[in-house]
Amino acid sequence: MYIEAKEKYAKLGVDTDAAIAKLKTVPVALHCWQGDDVRGFDTDPSKPLTGGIQTTGNYPGRARTPEELMADLDMVLKLCPGTKKMNLHASYAIFEDGEWADRDALEPKHFKKWVDFCKERGLGCDFNPTFFSHPKANGLTLSSPDPEIRRFWINHGKACIRISQYLAEELGQECVMNIWTGDGFKDVPSDRMGPRVRYKESIDAILSEPFDFAKVKPCVESKVFGIGVEAYTVGSAEFCLSYAAMNKERCIPLMDNGHYHPTEVVSDKIPALLAFFPEIALHVTRGVRWDSDHVVLFDDETKEMAKEIVRCGGLNGGVKLALDYFDASINRIAAWTMGLRNFQKALLFALLCPNEELKKVQDEGDFTSLLVLQEEQKTLPFGEVWDEYCRSCGVPCDGQWLEMVKKYECDVLVKRV
Ligand code: RNT
Ligand code: ZN
């Protein structure tokens, strides 16, 4: 069936083997935080999350320790095709022998176990300072009017730069370090500029920590609004984009596709940014009505983003790919797996588009052919190529992996009480 599919695509000038081979080279960062509802290991797990981030649902089996999280990650890695890298938050520091360090005092050694985990599996690792779920994150962080609070979080950011440099050096792959805060106000502020000026200065201070921009890629992630900060977000789209544009030698913009007004699409923003930035970063997620973080589906916008990444040449390192969703209402390993597989599907689908031909008819002004060709693409035997990709990566095809997750749930997850 694959051979037949391959022939059908070949008639359109698309080489399915080449698409599969290309996709295998593209790293996608797997976020550690789907496995434990963004809890991390450095704060009391009985306390609620704070700082503009929330999970809903209480499906059994949340990972409670580094060992459990790593075991669950291994399951996901086994079930997903393609090249993966890890994506850690600072709150996932692993302390040993009763030791503990606050966020401003984190050191590379607190991530040594993650380095070992990545090395054993040949993975790179991205990183994120954690500006939420902490007693000092009960309001503004990097934009706080309180110099002590600001100093604490700047020192956290600097510590994270050092840890990112360590991860990049140990693992021999670049480390994308993303700065996101939930700083903002629930209701109408009177000073909208003050927090933004302080935010800018704080990011400047963090990025004054020495690092090698070839290895560490600091990003700024914007957001339209968040839980509890409905009226005003300090790190808005204009703020973050301007920051990155003015600091191109040390910072890149990160777009999370759940962080815009519902009719805005990141697929269209990708080529707009790439016209100015050689490198951009993405959080691939699914917004529903008013927030991000639902499990990624093989839906139209995910496909459209993947097409833009492919068409703009973003698979050669220009677009840093990371996932960002967390659902605590369904089996977390299934959620993780589904999202990663769906994003891989979208990338494969995009690689199988006759992009050269489509561009040609567009440039010739033949918009009739353009629309017809794009529509016909939708019913080509994509599933056969996807199955072949999964087989060639040694992972289960669709229809084969859910059973394995259910078995793991019975054998391992339900026992976590
Ligand atoms: C939150 C942002 C942010 C977080 C992670 C955990 O709205 O998208 O990226 O999801 O840092
Ligand atoms: Zn995000």
Side-chain angles (χ1 to χ4, degrees):
M1 287 196 288
Y2 173 65
I3 302 291
E4 231 171 73
K6 185 178 150 81
E7 282 164 6
K8 280 201 173 159
Y9 278 99
K11 281 199 189 120
L12 295 168
V14 173
D15 180 344
T16 54
D17 289 338
I20 288 174
K22 177 69 190 174
L23 187 51
K24 283 185 186 172
T25 67
V26 178
V28 175
L30 182 62
H31 55 313
C32 70
W33 51 92
Q34 164 61 61
D36 74 333
D37 312 340
V38 210
R39 292 263 153 209
F41 308 128
D42 73 338
T43 47
D44 181 351
S46 66
K47 296 249 175 74
L49 300 175
T50 63
I53 204 142
Q54 209 173 5
T55 48
T56 52
N58 55 0
Y59 199 86
R62 179 178 83 80
R64 298 158 303 177
T65 61
E67 294 69 33
E68 289 181 355
L69 190 61
M70 287 176 182
D72 294 358
L73 276 164
D74 269 333
M75 194 63 195
V76 179
L77 295 171
K78 210 167 73 185
L79 299 178
C80 295
T83 299
K84 303 101 180 171
K85 68 190 297 202
M86 277 309 303
N87 195 1
L88 297 176
H89 247 282
S91 53
Y92 289 79
I94 301 179
F95 302 114
E96 287 180 281
D97 310 320
E99 186 209 5
W100 180 79
D102 207 349
R103 300 254 172 98
D104 61 337
L106 287 172
E107 292 177 52
K109 69 173 184 195
H110 301 125
F111 294 87
K112 163 87 172 62
K113 286 218 166 138
W114 282 115
V115 163
D116 295 342
F117 176 88
C118 290
K119 277 187 182 164
E120 277 161 27
R121 290 152 186 82
L123 307 171
C125 190
D126 289 346
F127 199 64
N128 305 257
T130 311
F131 298 102
F132 53 81
S133 299
H134 185 279
K136 290 194 168 70
N138 273 327
L140 304 179
T141 62
L142 290 175
S143 67
S144 172
D146 179 342
E148 268 312 296
I149 297 281
R150 256 186 356 258
R151 192 196 49 81
F152 177 85
W153 289 114
I154 288 169
N155 285 338
H156 175 54
K158 289 181 167 186
C160 289
I161 293 271
R162 295 190 291 271
I163 294 162
S164 299
Q165 181 81 27
Y166 160 76
L167 292 172
E169 273 164 16
E170 285 290 323
L171 301 172
Q173 289 186 39
E174 70 179 18
C175 173
V176 175
M177 192 199 94
N178 179 42
I179 298 175
W180 172 77
T181 74
D183 284 22
F185 295 118
K186 182 182 172 75
D187 230 317
V188 191
S190 64
D191 177 11
R192 291 172 180 271
M193 184 155 168
R196 288 189 172 130
V197 171
R198 291 191 293 268
Y199 199 44
K200 172 177 175 286
E201 287 168 1
S202 293
I203 303 172
D204 283 345
I206 292 171
L207 300 186
S208 73
E209 182 69 19
F211 65 93
D212 178 355
F213 191 47
K215 291 181 180 157
V216 175
K217 301 289 177 184
C219 308
V220 279
E221 178 182 13
S222 68
K223 191 163 178 172
V224 64
F225 79 95
I227 299 166
V229 294
E230 289 84 0
Y232 166 86
T233 294
V234 183
S236 60
E238 294 74 13
F239 176 92
C240 289
L241 201 48
S242 303
Y243 189 90
M246 301 297 284
N247 291 276
K248 278 172 100 167
E249 69 300 337
R250 57 178 185 166
C251 188
I252 66 177
L254 185 145
M255 295 190 289
D256 177 311
N257 62 296
H259 287 189
Y260 296 86
H261 290 284
T263 58
E264 283 183 80
V265 282
V266 162
S267 50
D268 187 58
K269 298 176 194 293
I270 292 168
L273 262 58
L274 286 173
F276 296 92
F277 294 93
E279 294 176 305
I280 64 168
L282 295 180
H283 271 184
V284 178
T285 185
R286 176 166 51 108
V288 175
R289 298 197 188 281
W290 55 273
D291 205 1
S292 51
D293 306 328
H294 279 61
V295 176
V296 172
L297 302 182
F298 185 51
D299 57 13
D300 283 351
E301 175 53 10
T302 310
K303 281 186 238 176
E304 215 52 38
M305 285 193 292
K307 283 186 214 164
E308 289 306 328
I309 296 164
V310 167
R311 289 167 179 170
C312 298
L315 293 184
N316 299 325
V319 182
K320 324 287 176 199
L321 304 171
L323 302 169
D324 183 15
Y325 49 84
F326 29 97
D327 192 336
S329 74
I330 58 176
N331 180 300
R332 291 171 186 79
I333 293 168
W336 237 338
T337 303
M338 210 180 336
L340 177 47
R341 288 177 66 100
N342 281 336
F343 188 49
Q344 289 276 334
K345 273 186 191 167
L347 290 171
L348 184 62
F349 192 84
L351 283 161
L352 294 171
C353 285
N355 290 316
E356 285 307 314
E357 176 66 14
L358 292 171
K359 184 180 172 320
K360 189 169 152 276
V361 293
Q362 175 180 319
D363 289 346
E364 286 166 359
D366 183 0
F367 300 115
T368 309
S369 301
L370 182 58
L371 203 55
V372 171
L373 288 174
Q374 289 186 101
E375 281 307 289
E376 291 187 344
Q377 166 79 16
K378 293 178 180 173
T379 48
L380 287 172
F382 171 70
E384 303 304 338
V385 187
W386 169 250
D387 281 354
E388 177 68 10
Y389 175 56
C390 288
R391 279 191 298 267
S392 75
C393 290
V395 306
C397 294
D398 284 6
Q400 297 173 342
W401 63 268
L402 183 57
E403 214 177 304
M404 296 159 79
V405 174
K406 291 257 163 95
K407 185 172 185 307
Y408 186 77
E409 179 172 312
C410 273
D411 296 347
V412 180
L413 299 181
V414 292
K415 295 181 182 146
R416 293 178 188 167
V417 277

